[in-house]
Amino acid sequence: CYDSPDEVKRFGQKCLEISREFGKWQHELIADQDLFDGSWITLGWAPAGSMYFCEHSIVSYSPDTYQEFIYPLDQALTNSFEHCMFVGYCKTAGHLMDFYLGLPKVEVMQSCEENLDSERIKKHLGRKHFVISCAPQDVRKTVEEFGTRGICISTYCASIAESQALIESLKKR
């Protein structure tokens, strides 16, 4: 980035332009469908005009590099849409989470990892919503740690029997 910063910024602007146009095209395509007012994405309902936002490749950038080269593009991209429902992040992008939380249009953040920085998340509950992944045996612990307001818990079960056992165990308080 720092060998040719102007070239990197021009490339970023082109990526932003393409992303905006692609998103608008998708919304126009969907808007023609009768009675469309949203859709299910990943783990929740996204109202019409929403975008799903995820950048797995930025994990290798330092906070300074992200702030200089990518954050302004992320702001411009998310501001191009009515709602920005999810920003996926993982442990390797935890060093950029405060930037994600600073994007005003981002309403819901989703983690693809367990063992989150719970204090950071708790500071933002009420302003942002979080989708938190955990193993079935950790659902109760996750609820105890984060509460239930502003949190959607994502878990996985290997079978219907395991799912039913989880439901039954959660009924027992």
Side-chain angles (χ1 to χ4, degrees), residues 1 4 7 23 28 31 55 73 78 83-84 88 100 105 113 125 127 130 145 151 163 168 170:
C1 288
S4 304
E7 190 173 330
E28 289 169 7
E55 297 177 319
L73 300 170
T78 57
H83 302 279
C84 182
Y100 295 148
K105 289 279 189 133
E113 68 165 300
L125 283 175
R127 262 187 349 99
F130 294 87
E145 184 173 359
I151 298 291
S163 300
E168 293 304 320
L170 293 174

Side-chain angles (χ1 to χ4, degrees), residues 132-145:
I132 297 175
S133 300
C134 70
Q137 65 271 17
D138 295 331
V139 169
R140 186 174 302 282
K141 181 179 107 181
T142 302
V143 169
E144 289 169 359
E145 184 173 359

Side-chain angles (χ1 to χ4, degrees), residues 60-76:
S60 48
Y61 292 104
S62 71
D64 289 343
T65 303
Y66 175 81
Q67 185 174 22
E68 181 176 347
F69 292 97
I70 300 172
Y71 188 68
L73 300 170
D74 283 351
Q75 285 179 308

Side-chain angles (χ1 to χ4, degrees), residues 44-140:
W45 179 258
S50 297
M51 71 171 283
Y52 179 92
F53 181 71
C54 184
E55 297 177 319
H56 290 291
S57 60
I58 64 158
V59 300
S60 48
Y61 292 104
S62 71
D64 289 343
T65 303
Y66 175 81
Q67 185 174 22
E68 181 176 347
F69 292 97
I70 300 172
Y71 188 68
L73 300 170
D74 283 351
Q75 285 179 308
L77 181 61
T78 57
N79 285 334
S80 300
F81 296 90
E82 191 175 342
H83 302 279
C84 182
M85 297 306 295
F86 292 91
V87 171
Y89 67 95
C90 59
K91 190 174 202 169
T92 56
H95 64 291
L96 302 174
M97 189 172 167
D98 287 330
F99 289 109
Y100 295 148
L101 292 167
L103 293 166
K105 289 279 189 133
V106 172
E107 298 166 16
V108 179
M109 291 191 62
Q110 176 182 1
S111 170
C112 57
E113 68 165 300
E114 300 172 13
N115 305 317
L116 301 171
D117 182 347
S118 61
E119 293 309 310
R120 180 176 282 154
I121 289 173
K122 287 177 187 176
K123 283 191 319 192
H124 294 281
L125 283 175
R127 262 187 349 99
K128 307 285 182 180
H129 295 87
F130 294 87
V131 177
I132 297 175
S133 300
C134 70
Q137 65 271 17
D138 295 331
V139 169
R140 186 174 302 282

